[in-house]
């Protein structure tokens, strides 16, 4: 699924590149891209963290996931230290180191009863997914 955040009043899109893939056999939520660029918005100090939490919860509700699911993503060490490591609603930790500063993170998924009905998604085609690879 590809997600977007838009202004309510104008419908102007204010986010970029929020792509989540579900690997059903592995029961794994993979954050393929999370570059919302919400820091460009006024007073957005915690907006990216809230965005990630809401989208993951929405995704979990849509796919009826349970606490046996995991969340994975690839990033760089400095992004982990400055963002993912600080997210109290997740327990992201390094599960694999790659070349240079590349790392793979993993976290348990914990479903909450938080209402995510305000979130809209768009399924992407196989051709579009290939372009993200």
């Amino acid at each position: 699924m590809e997600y977007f955040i838009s202004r309510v009043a104008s419908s102007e899109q204010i986010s970029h590149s929020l792509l989540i893939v579900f690997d059903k056999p592995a029961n794994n939520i993979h954050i393929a891209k999370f570059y919302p660029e919400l820091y460009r918005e006024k007073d957005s100090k915690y907006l990216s963290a809230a965005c990630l939490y809401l989208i993951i919860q929405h995704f979990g509700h849509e796919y009826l996931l349970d606490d046996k699911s995991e969340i994975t993503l690839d990033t760089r060490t400095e992004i982990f230290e400055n963002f993912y490591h600080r997210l109290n609603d997740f327990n992201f930790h390094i599960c694999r180191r790659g070349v240079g500063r590349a790392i793979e993170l993993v976290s348990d998924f914990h479903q909450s009863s938080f209402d995510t009905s305000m979130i809209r998604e768009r399924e992407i085609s196989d051709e579009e997914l290939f372009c993200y690879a």
Side-chain angles (χ1 to χ4, degrees), residues 1-130:
M1 292 285 177
E2 184 174 26
Y3 290 89
F4 298 97
I5 298 173
S6 302
R7 294 187 194 288
V8 175
S10 67
S11 297
E12 173 192 5
Q13 182 181 320
I14 61 170
S15 69
H16 306 275
S17 299
L18 307 174
L19 181 64
I20 299 177
V21 178
F22 181 57
D23 180 351
K24 196 171 193 169
N27 201 25
N28 176 276
I29 302 165
H30 183 72
I31 302 170
K33 289 201 181 246
F34 185 69
Y35 302 106
E37 297 188 24
L38 296 172
Y39 63 87
R40 296 177 183 199
E41 296 300 306
K42 182 180 178 188
D43 300 324
S44 65
K45 186 171 183 178
Y46 300 107
L47 195 54
S48 290
C51 172
L52 180 63
Y53 179 78
L54 288 171
I55 288 173
I56 292 293
Q57 288 300 317
H58 175 77
F59 196 85
H61 286 279
E62 289 295 306
Y63 285 93
L64 305 174
L65 303 180
D66 58 25
D67 287 349
K68 295 176 185 154
S69 301
E70 288 185 329
I71 305 165
T72 60
L73 66 100
D74 298 318
T75 192
R76 295 187 317 264
T77 305
E78 60 272 13
I79 295 171
F80 168 65
E81 291 169 354
N82 292 324
F83 183 70
Y84 292 105
H85 184 66
R86 296 177 182 205
L87 299 176
N88 293 331
D89 293 308
F90 301 96
N91 64 345
F92 282 112
H93 57 279
I94 299 170
C95 67
R96 186 175 318 142
R97 293 189 180 276
V99 176
R101 298 181 320 239
I103 55 176
E104 182 180 348
L105 303 180
V106 66
S107 174
D108 297 322
F109 170 74
H110 299 287
Q111 185 70 270
S112 77
S113 58
F114 198 88
D115 179 19
T116 60
S117 61
M118 78 295 274
I119 296 176
R120 303 286 182 262
E121 71 279 334
R122 177 179 75 90
E123 281 196 49
I124 61 173
S125 67
D126 290 340
E127 293 81 26
E128 289 176 293
L129 187 57
F130 181 74

